[in-house]
Amino acid sequence: MRQNSHGNGDAGYRSPAACEPCHLIFGSFYRAARALDVEQSTLSRNIIRLERVIGVKLFNRSRSGVTTTIAGTHFIRSARPMVASADKIVSAMRAAGQGRAGVLKIGHNTSVSAGNLRASILAWQAINPDVDFESVEADRCPPSAPMAQI
């Protein structure tokens, strides 16, 4: 499997319409694939598969390069909002998977205002602004019973 620039074994997430700006900039699927860090054959197969699914040719291919058809230009323009939404979802899921987003819920049996707990929580929240923090203060006796409800 090809290594991507992030050093992991998958090719990484690439927006479905990412080839559109690349083909315009680079003029060919080969150079676009290199810019996207995918194999040219993979990019070409996926574009051909998409053209078959939607039943219309999106790109004109020639020895001199690649251009979009009228339908291809319309498709890409229409797909951009969906691609942007997909990119946001992927970013949010990656952040959640890495512990940089989501919810952190802790239970404690001491006051948040006492000791270093408040300062520790505020420092942690400053470093992790996309993680919602929830705190549950339990009775001091017995400590294990109320914490089990969290």
Side-chain angles (χ1 to χ4, degrees), residues 113-148:
S113 62
N116 292 326
L117 184 57
R118 185 180 193 299
S120 296
I121 290 170
L122 290 174
W124 187 87
Q125 285 178 310
I127 296 168
N128 301 282
D130 294 329
V131 178
D132 293 330
F133 182 82
E134 295 179 11
S135 166
V136 177
E137 184 174 356
D139 294 333
R140 291 181 185 220
C141 298
S144 60
M147 297 297 173

Side-chain angles (χ1 to χ4, degrees), residues 17-18 43 52 56 64 99 117 141 146 148:
L43 178 62
R52 285 182 186 147
V56 67
S64 61
L117 184 57
C141 298

Side-chain angles (χ1 to χ4, degrees), residues 1 18 23 33 43 45 47 51 55 59 66 110 117 122 131 138-139 146 148-149:
M1 188 173 292
H23 97 274
L43 178 62
R45 270 194 316 273
I47 291 170
E51 289 174 332
F59 296 96
V66 178
T110 183
L117 184 57
L122 290 174
V131 178
D139 294 333
Q149 297 173 358

Side-chain angles (χ1 to χ4, degrees), residues 45-63:
R45 270 194 316 273
N46 286 335
I47 291 170
I48 290 168
R49 187 176 304 131
L50 176 62
E51 289 174 332
R52 285 182 186 147
V53 167
I54 63 176
V56 67
K57 190 173 175 183
L58 299 175
F59 296 96
N60 291 314
R61 299 155 179 85
S62 70
R63 291 184 187 265

